[in-house]
Amino acid sequence: MADSNSLFYLFLLFSFSIFTSGVEAGAKDAPYVGINIGTDVSDLLSPEDLVTFLQSQKISHIRLYDSNADILKALSHTKIRVMISVPNNQLIAIGSSNTTAATWVQRNVVAFYPQTLITSISVGDEVFTTNPSSAPILLPAIESLYNSLVASNLHNDIKISTPHAASIILDTFPPSQAFFNQTLTPFLLPLLQFLSRTKAPLMMNFYPYYVFMQNKGVVPLDNSLFRPLTPSKEMVDPNTLLHYSNVLDAMIDAAYFSMKNLNVSDVVVLVTESGWPSIGDSKEPYATIDNADTYNSNLIRHVFDRSGTPLHPELTSSVYIYELFNEDLRANPVSEAHWGLFYGNSTPVYLLHVSGTGTFLGNDTTNQTYCVVMDDVDSKTLQAALDWACGPGRANCSEIQPGENCYQPNNVKNHASYAFDSYYQKQDRASGSCDFNGVAMITTTDPSQGSCIFPGSKRFGTNKTSEVGTATNTPMTSGEVGHLRRRRKKPTVQWYNPVILLVLLARIWL
């Protein structure tokens, strides 16, 4: 028996090492959420006001698309960490001359560091796809800048990499079959080897929004927005049996598998851009405030939950949200000017619901969330949930009775939304209280209409029967209620986790 136990623990240790080797070093760093700051804004704050605003919002990491001296100076003696950038139009000069690279580092890094906490340099932006003629000069530019950092003894404090478009990865799902565009291998492989040698990240711009728009009918909206899914709706990689509950994790793992195909396993993925537009034209009907709010709020929670990806649960990628301000000077399509969390004057486009993520972002809508019915729920399941909410759930359903303020429109979806929100608010918006067996979702958009004021609304109290905690509740139907029970949110162990799967197989084998 002792020999058997020894074999088991050796097997366990070996299995765990397989999935943590290579990227283990990156797991030691706490993941963070940063913000991209574009400046195509007609009423942009002054650098000093911008820094004050960033501090008020508890934003600790930002990315600039250049090396704006005024902003870098204003960031001096703050705790805000900044990624500065080399624009594409400067690549040739820097890649062709070590002297030019050294001058750039002296002027844009040494002149401000360490008073301004410059942590990384992004060299170019999506060069392989947007400026392919500069592909041969990209790595020489990066190496020249790196050598200049070495000369200033800053190479251990400031990392250098370059952001890539997601399109350099082909066949992204299932992730295990993903690979880099092979025409880029002559440029990508030496770049990845450089990143490995200098312990710098692979920077990727990942937008589940575009994945959804290009694959409507195949990729569900819920998967793209990080909404909670039933196991049957999760995407499954048939080769690894890993389950993917959201598109971003699948994209990140596709990058890891692509690097593995080039025999690189010790470079971590940093998501330098990700976001969702709040307004679009008729061709972009899913560019809405509610979807943008849902995506970015859930993205922030996902990073701070530190749950990693199905392939690397021990490693959570940091993400920079695109972007802080709506860049109203950007050209068409309409959505190009509406990716921001705030307008240029610092007023919010929408209020994120990021309760539970510490102090990050000052505009928290914990007290402005509502529970409503999800789309495409069959009426029988919805009626059962409504019966439970108005019965055993003791939601206040008096307002959806005939003749009352929320009776019209008289359909089960609208009635259920009111009942669900009543229950959700009575439970103080507790985690898991907006589920109802998978037919409800949380939104920051007030569903109140006309004289029908939902319990979570700031206007609640204007209805004649506004008391949420009424002692009696009238069921919506005369049939039996209570046969649907609200599921508890339990800590889940994913059976498809490869380490756990190997452990289970080892127990059977031994």
Side-chain angles (χ1 to χ4, degrees), residues 64 76 88 98 211 228 291 323 378 416:
L64 303 178
S76 178
N88 287 350
N98 291 332
V211 173
N291 285 343
E323 59 186 329
D378 70 90

Side-chain angles (χ1 to χ4, degrees), residues 20-27 159-162 164 180 188-204 252-260 262-270 311-312 314-315 317:
T20 58
S21 63
V23 295
E24 188 178 68
K159 301 301 179 183
I160 299 184
S161 187
T162 180
H164 301 284
F180 289 121
L188 262 174
L189 182 56
L191 173 62
L192 289 171
Q193 292 169 340
F194 169 85
L195 299 179
S196 173
R197 187 171 66 254
T198 61
K199 297 180 173 57
L202 173 67
M203 296 178 173
M204 297 296 306
I252 292 172
D253 277 356
Y256 280 120
F257 276 109
S258 297
M259 285 192 285
K260 183 180 179 182
L262 294 180
N263 296 316
V264 176
S265 60
D266 59 350
V267 175
V268 300
V269 174
L270 172 64
L311 180 64
H312 287 299
E314 80 287 354
L315 179 64
S317 293

